[in-house]
Amino acid sequence: MEKFTTLTGIAAPMPLINIDTDMILPKQFLKTIKRSGLGVSAFFEMRYDTDGNENPDFVLNKPAYREAQILVAGDNFGTGSSREHAPWALLDFGIRCVISTSFADIFYNNCFKNGILPVVVTPEQLELLMSDAEKGANARISIDLEAQTVMSSDGAVVEFDIDPFRKHCLLNGLDDIGLSLEKSDAIDAFESQADVARPWV
Amino acid sequence: MVAKTLYDKIWDAHVVNTSDDGMSLLYIDRHFVHEVTSPQAFEGLAMAGRKVRAPEKTVVVPDHNVPTTWDRVNGIENEEGRIQVEALHANVKAFNLPNYYEMNDIRQGIVHIVGPEQGWTLPGMTIVCGDSHTPTHGAFGALAHGIGTSEVEHVLATQTLIQKKAKNMKVEVTGQLRPGVTAKDIALHVIGVTGTGGGTGHVIEYCGEVIEGLSMEGRMTICNLAIEGGARAGMIAPDQTTFDYVRGRTHAPKGAMWEAALTWWKTLRSDEGGHFDKVFEIDAADIAPVVTWGTSPEDVLPITGAVPAPEDFEGGKVAAAERSLDYMGLEPGTPLQEIEIDAVFLGSCTNGRIEDLRAAAAVLKGRRISDRLSTAIVVPGSGLVRLQAEEEGLAEIFKEAGFEWRLAGCSMCLGMNPDQLGPEVRCASTSNRNFEGRQGRGSRTHLMSPAMAAAAAVTGRLTDVRELSELEAAE
Ligand code: SF4
């Protein structure tokens, strides 16, 4: 997994609430057995018309936002399915950070496994960052994970909270399976005890 | 002794260790696996030279991609779908997974229906699956939730999950249900009250006399929809109804083991004074048969209502409602019962169980579906549900009414297989998501109970099932 330390980039505004995983990546793209190549299909139904042409009104099709690395989105982003294909598609498009007032649980988790930083801010802070993002390509937003800050293009600083463990893994690009396997002894011990306590499992 | 909730108790019984930063390693008792969210996880394992730690605790079934037409015994026509199902098969062999139900095994079905049916789902367990509707299993008093593919890989390799404990939320439903109101109506009503983000960061315990009065099928419908309220999991304390359902199932404990299990299971209820961070009390008398009008499961209204206007909402919901109405092709103020439909889908892990089929068949018996409908399919949740429905004569009722009778799978719940709707096709569906494009690009989904979907099938419009039974009384 790629590390996430700092990022300065174009932020695309998506003020819609409840952007669900079917919107982020519809099911026809879940048939892949790979993680890669999903970026062209991200936000498929909003991004392309039925003939497959780009919809010029969709934010990521606008010249200013084609290189966006950050999404600033309405409440409850990533609601719906557990498909990790959604963050894979965002990552493949080039998105490394999503900012919203809240995220659906599974999507939130999935981001961390893929080097994407989900940032939770207050409604006031979101409003500030949203209007900044709406300024287009000149308005670059900077994120500093170590310091846990987002800085708008005009220098306003927003602080955010994050779990220390997830922060640590993201900062160092750690594979948490490896970390958990280091605890094999504890897992073995738990299993022996559980085999006695709940042998029917 | 500290008073604990049901969630606290199951959590505590499964913590391997907790670090100073509050993250815990949680032991997983059951891991359900299907073909869509697992290939990349198995690939990751193989690349790292890792094994599946507990093959006997891993249960595998293809469900999302499988065709539901009767010709599927000849194989899957769609190439990508076939490759995914074949990849699952190959992984089962490569990693020696013993508990596998192939597409043409009569026990195959939607993973959340097969698990309980086979007795893999038991009270007090921790259960995960790379699927957001895993909370279904919480109906048994288990801690069950959906995970992403990286976590699937983590569970395969370690039989644990790195978790931070969620908060406790209680939804208590008291009083008496009105006629025609089912578990689906309760579940959708609750989401209407809490919002799709209302449960975020929480595990919901559903309780109260109405919940206790539900069958296991009804409880599974309730917990299935916990995720649509944003909760990590939903659960219901196990009781006699639970034990009666579990007893005798293939993989349920037997004999002395059963007695030992039962002793522990009976302790699995929230203590008096257990702490809940959020509490919702719902009076059953306030719940009517409901349908959704928009593209979020929280867009729910009693069937007697009318399509709302964006101005009826506040904040971000105004723009969302505008977009929903446009997508759904609806005018504010239209009585819901005047909305004509083109398709009906009976099935999914929300409502694909025998009781659901009985409820729909009860409405359809002796009736014909409307000529308006271009699609009307019944997709049983598992091969065994299908057999039982055939034995009970339900299949005949559906077929005589004009429905197609299919083989088990996820089908039109998400349309990964060929069961999809075209643009602007309006569907009365017993599934769980009315998101844009869910049942096919541009398709329009109204969620409702099996009885309500059956009523809609008869009249060709969204219909109050209670009126249909009155009609019957008058005839
Ligand atoms: S029936 Fe629908 S919700 Fe349930 S597992 Fe299948 S696709 Fe998911």
Side-chain angles (χ1 to χ4, degrees), chain A residues 23-44 47-48 83-94 114, chain B residues 36 40 80 84 149:
Chain A
M23 284 187 193
I24 301 171
L25 192 77
K27 71 251 165 178
Q28 61 268 36
F29 305 108
L30 307 185
K31 294 194 180 196
T32 173
I33 54 173
K34 302 261 168 271
R35 285 180 166 91
S36 52
L38 293 168
V40 291
S41 311
F43 298 106
F44 188 80
R47 199 159 144 209
Y48 305 103
R83 61 188 70 161
E84 203 161 314
H85 310 67
W88 292 338
L90 294 182
L91 188 67
D92 198 50
F93 179 89
N114 294 285
Chain B
V36 179
Q40 296 86 350
E80 287 171 300
Q84 222 169 36
T149 296

Side-chain angles (χ1 to χ4, degrees), chain B residues 410-422:
Chain B
C410 291
S411 180
M412 205 176 273
C413 174
L414 92 165
M416 265 193 81
N417 74 349
D419 306 338
Q420 290 178 21
L421 298 172

Side-chain angles (χ1 to χ4, degrees), chain A residues 15-18 20-23 26-28 30-35 44-46 48-50 75-76 79-85 88 102-106 109-110 113-114 163-166 175-181 183-184 186-188 190-191 193-195 198-201, chain B residues 13-17 21 23 25 27 29 36 39-40 43 50 53 65 78 80-81 84 122 125 130-132 146-151 153-154 157-158 160 162 164 196-197 200-201 232 253 257 260-261 264-265 296 298 316-317 320 323 414-416 433 435-441:
Chain A
L16 204 60
I17 62 167
N18 297 334
D20 60 66
T21 50
D22 285 69
M23 284 187 193
K27 71 251 165 178
Q28 61 268 36
L30 307 185
K31 294 194 180 196
T32 173
I33 54 173
K34 302 261 168 271
R35 285 180 166 91
F44 188 80
E45 288 174 13
M46 296 196 256
Y48 305 103
D49 66 19
T50 37
D75 195 50
N76 198 27
T79 186
S81 124
S82 67
R83 61 188 70 161
E84 203 161 314
H85 310 67
W88 292 338
S102 76
F103 292 88
D105 249 9
I106 308 177
N109 261 326
N110 283 342
K113 312 285 179 186
N114 294 285
D163 281 324
F165 175 77
R166 288 178 167 132
D175 155 24
D176 57 16
I177 297 180
L179 293 179
S180 295
L181 283 172
K183 298 182 181 151
S184 288
I187 302 173
D188 289 342
F190 179 91
E191 273 182 346
Q193 164 258 316
D195 280 348
R198 297 187 295 279
W200 58 85
V201 171
Chain B
H14 290 86
V15 172
V16 174
N17 70 17
D21 58 19
M23 294 306 260
L25 205 57
Y27 193 80
D29 293 328
V36 179
Q40 296 86 350
E43 184 194 51
R50 291 169 178 152
R53 181 180 170 100
N65 266 308
N78 176 283
E80 287 171 300
Q84 222 169 36
L122 298 174
M125 282 185 159
D131 189 279
S132 56
I147 54 178
T149 296
S150 297
E151 290 178 315
E153 187 179 339
H154 191 282
T158 68
T160 64
I162 301 172
K164 190 170 179 183
T196 50
T200 303
R232 184 180 299 174
M257 204 80 102
W264 186 57
W265 294 347
S296 163
E298 71 190 8
K317 196 68 201 166
R323 188 183 166 95
L414 92 165
M416 265 193 81
R433 289 198 171 130
F435 296 164
E436 289 180 19
R438 174 79 177 179
Q439 296 189 293
R441 184 172 188 160

Side-chain angles (χ1 to χ4, degrees), chain A residues 81 83, chain B residues 34 63-64 110-113 129 131-134 136 224 227-228 345 347-351 409-416 431-433 438:
Chain A
S81 124
R83 61 188 70 161
Chain B
H34 66 77
D63 55 5
H64 284 63
I110 304 167
V111 62
H112 308 309
I113 292 191
C129 175
D131 189 279
S132 56
H133 290 95
T134 311
T136 312
N224 176 274
I227 180 74
E228 307 312 334
F345 170 62
S348 88
C349 60
T350 312
N351 285 128
C410 291
S411 180
M412 205 176 273
C413 174
L414 92 165
M416 265 193 81
S431 54
N432 43 45
R433 289 198 171 130
R438 174 79 177 179

